[in-house]
Amino acid sequence: MTGAQNDISKRTSYDVIVIGGGAGGLNAALVLARARRAVAVVDSGKPRNAPSAHMHGFLSRDGMPPLTVLEAGRAEVERYGAVRIDGAVEQVDAGEAGGYVVRLEGGATLDARHVVLATGLRDELPEIPGVRAMWGGDVHFCPYCHGYEVRDQPIVVLGVHPASPGQALLLRQWSPHIVYVPHSRPLADEERERMDARGVEVAEGPVAALLSKDGRLHAVELADGRTMRCAGVFLFPGMTPNDGVFDGLGCARDDQGRLVTDRAGRTSRPGLWAVGNVVDSRAQAVTAAGMGAAAAFALNHDLVDEETERDLAAYRAAADASGAPVPAS
């Protein structure tokens, strides 16, 4: 939405507040705004995929810069009357009269009947020199997003996560030149056998640094001084959901501490929803967008049910006051 609306004094109560302005949040807002709901999107403007030059695997948007896609999405949502608020949410609390109070950084508050959490997650990168500087450039996580761009070229996979060996085996689909560096996680015998069977080379020893020239990766240096030239490095980062604003609301969580939702994005607490990477770390942008749409459809149906019950109660009360017969329920 071009020209984000920050003067929230004009309206502070909404049918739905969406927290997060990525693909999931914007698609939820788009569907709800087209359903003529009063919608606000609170957007910190810090999408997870901002470091990437291009996004892939999103039909009709393949190869576009992520921020270009978001700008188009903001404009579409604004066209239907949704409000975008630049800022961050500190906490969501239960409202005294039902619904929820969304507390923004800086002290402002908004009221919402329902809240959709679409805040994604934080990637926790290993403290290896060069990783953070080239993250989203020549250092990647998702083979489906970036494997094609380094197809048939030398690729190094860093063993920094329990899922790293599987990542190396998967990347063999894109290139026959895969080197796996266990780094600080030695391979089990069965894992090593799988690497051998798949044709993945194993280079023992911790990684000292990623080396670059003119801002582009060209090699991985091991602690003993060996270097391996490569066109790309893949690693599996640690991932922490940005879901702290729901703390204290009693939403069910799984054994890893993640919010539990149904297929539509409902949490265990009525009126609270969560979509995208905040509940599914493997969701690509296109997946998050679909999750946002699914949540919006179900959420609007829930609102219609709530409104129908309210209207029915008012109708019966009016009929009773007038003495007109009320149909049996």
Side-chain angles (χ1 to χ4, degrees):
M1 285 165 273
T2 56
Q5 300 181 41
N6 290 303
D7 183 6
I8 61 174
S9 63
K10 294 180 180 179
R11 180 172 191 144
T12 60
S13 182
Y14 295 87
D15 292 326
V16 185
I17 292 177
V18 179
I19 306 174
L26 287 177
N27 217 37
L30 177 64
V31 172
L32 290 163
R34 283 179 50 81
R36 308 189 72 180
R37 294 296 178 185
V39 181
V41 179
V42 182
D43 184 4
S44 67
K46 300 175 182 178
R48 181 191 181 200
N49 59 1
S52 297
H54 305 96
M55 62 184 293
H56 296 282
F58 199 135
L59 189 64
S60 82
R61 298 294 181 266
D62 188 78
M64 291 181 64
L67 296 183
T68 299
V69 175
L70 292 184
E71 283 295 333
R74 291 165 183 164
E76 290 173 0
V77 171
E78 184 183 51
R79 189 163 68 236
Y80 293 103
V83 174
R84 177 172 170 250
I85 300 168
D86 278 331
V89 173
E90 288 188 340
Q91 187 66 35
V92 178
D93 296 322
E96 293 183 2
Y100 296 93
V101 178
V102 177
R103 304 187 185 280
L104 307 182
E105 288 183 354
T109 62
L110 305 172
D111 296 321
R113 296 167 65 187
H114 287 239
V115 177
V116 178
L117 188 66
T119 45
L121 53 78
R122 299 184 301 281
D123 290 313
E124 298 171 354
L125 303 177
E127 294 299 326
I128 297 172
V131 165
R132 193 169 300 276
M134 288 182 277
W135 181 244
D138 294 320
V139 181
H140 310 288
F141 158 56
C142 176
Y144 294 100
C145 300
H146 304 289
Y148 189 82
E149 282 60 49
V150 288
R151 62 194 182 280
D152 298 324
Q153 299 181 69
I155 298 170
V156 174
V157 180
L158 306 187
V160 294
H161 189 279
S164 295
Q167 189 181 36
L169 297 174
L170 177 61
L171 277 158
R172 181 62 179 79
Q173 175 72 21
W174 281 267
S175 174
H177 311 295
I178 307 295
V179 177
Y180 182 75
V181 183
H183 191 53
S184 59
R185 303 187 65 87
L187 284 170
D189 290 342
E190 183 179 354
E191 290 174 328
R192 189 177 297 276
E193 184 181 29
R194 288 178 178 273
M195 297 287 182
D196 292 342
R198 189 70 168 153
V200 175
E201 180 184 347
V202 177
E204 299 290 353
V207 176
L210 307 190
L211 306 180
S212 62
K213 287 184 178 179
D214 300 322
R216 297 300 304 270
L217 172 76
H218 78 92
V220 173
E221 181 181 15
L222 301 184
D224 62 7
R226 287 177 292 158
T227 60
M228 297 173 291
R229 290 190 174 274
C230 59
V233 164
F234 282 76
L235 63 86
F236 206 113
M239 300 176 186
T240 301
N242 295 317
D243 60 9
V245 297
F246 275 8
D247 287 352
L249 290 170
C251 296
R253 295 177 180 267
D254 62 20
D255 56 5
Q256 294 181 326
R258 286 184 173 268
L259 290 167
V260 174
T261 63
D262 67 8
R263 293 182 63 183
R266 292 182 184 87
T267 70
S268 62
R269 175 146 186 164
L272 297 182
W273 307 70
V275 300
N277 283 147
V278 74
V279 289
D280 182 356
S281 60
R282 294 179 182 270
Q284 292 183 300
V286 67
T287 314
M291 294 169 75
F297 297 142
L299 191 161
N300 189 61
H301 278 275
D302 284 2
L303 286 175
V304 169
D305 289 344
E306 293 172 16
E307 292 158 356
T308 300
E309 290 302 313
R310 177 202 64 197
D311 294 343
L312 181 59
Y315 171 79
R316 287 175 172 171
D320 184 59
S322 68
V326 177
S329 55

